[in-house]
Amino acid sequence: MENKTTAAILRMRREIQEFCQKHSRLLRIVSKFIVSFLLFYTINDLYGGKGGTALMIALALAVICAGLPMRYAYLFSVLQTAVYLYQVSWDVLAFYLAAVLLSYLMICRIRPEAGVIIAFAPLFFQMKLPFLLPLLVGMFSNMFGIGAMIFGVAFYYFGIYVQDVALLLNAATGDENIIAVKNVMEAFSKDQQCMLLMAAFVVAAVVMYLVYHQSFDYAWYIAILAGGLVGFFVYLAGGLIFDIQSRNVGYMVGILGAMIVAAVIQFFRCIIDYGSVEYIEFEDDEYYYYVKAVPKVTVLGEDFVAAQNIAEERTVRKFTQEDDK
């Protein structure tokens, strides 16, 4: 019964993969359009852009990004954000552009694809799954991705601070001298929750990355569980130690959802058969190699059930022979 259920799940996975491969070009364009639209709509919402004009801008930018590599989404998100910041204050705009330049010099110049992480970080907060970001960074990226994640989280909170400064500037009288960028920097320095969340994200991403690239059985799924739980416990412990008011219940639900989504992504990315592990030894003139080979699960239906039965028979025969000895 268990083998039949597993075979049905694998058959469904294979059918979905074949459908995606058959229509890969169209699905790639559609998926880029959808995620780009969600990104630009999130930026509109973050900086107070509302109405039909903001919606049309998001649609237009999404159409452009649908035909370009995803790394260009960061460029267009910077341009969109710059337009909003210009309407708030020139010094805030200058501060933002300086931060973008810093992110380029430190990360994007070396790893251009890291700009995607910076651009889409606010979207994870809007989806109420912020802890999914460090899990995916640990799964698909490297240490440069962790740096990009920090910039992305900082830019998200920057947008929240700019909203407050914009309200302050609109309510100010002509006699008041308000330096917008000073208020933004003060908000950064006083926001302990932002700093705590960054620390939890970094720890979660590092744990995820280190465990994910180990060779022991089920390392991928253990990495998802370990990264999510360690990140949450760092966030929870930091809030208790430093007396920071945090949304523990919301993030607890969010981390469970993040781990489930990450596990589903890993399931469709690759699954392997730990029951058929082989150890290979060979040598050359300089080294002696010990290789652990774990086959991918590619068989379907009755073939999978038959393969599982053969593996079980081999295991039983192995133990029987050892007992006879």
Side-chain angles (χ1 to χ4, degrees), residues 219-288:
W220 295 339
Y221 297 100
I222 294 175
I224 294 172
L225 182 64
L229 292 180
V230 169
F232 176 74
F233 284 134
V234 168
Y235 180 77
L236 181 63
L240 294 175
I241 294 173
F242 298 103
D243 194 22
I244 301 174
Q245 293 183 356
S246 56
R247 294 168 288 183
N248 295 334
V249 177
Y251 281 132
M252 183 177 294
V253 176
I255 191 61
L256 290 175
M259 289 190 292
I260 292 173
V261 173
V264 172
I265 293 174
Q266 178 57 53
F267 173 77
F268 281 97
R269 185 187 186 194
C270 181
I271 52 175
I272 53 182
D273 183 10
Y274 288 104
S276 302
V277 177
E278 296 181 4
Y279 295 91
I280 304 172
E281 301 177 23
F282 59 94
E283 63 179 309
D284 58 17
D285 294 337
E286 298 181 357
Y287 295 96
Y288 198 89

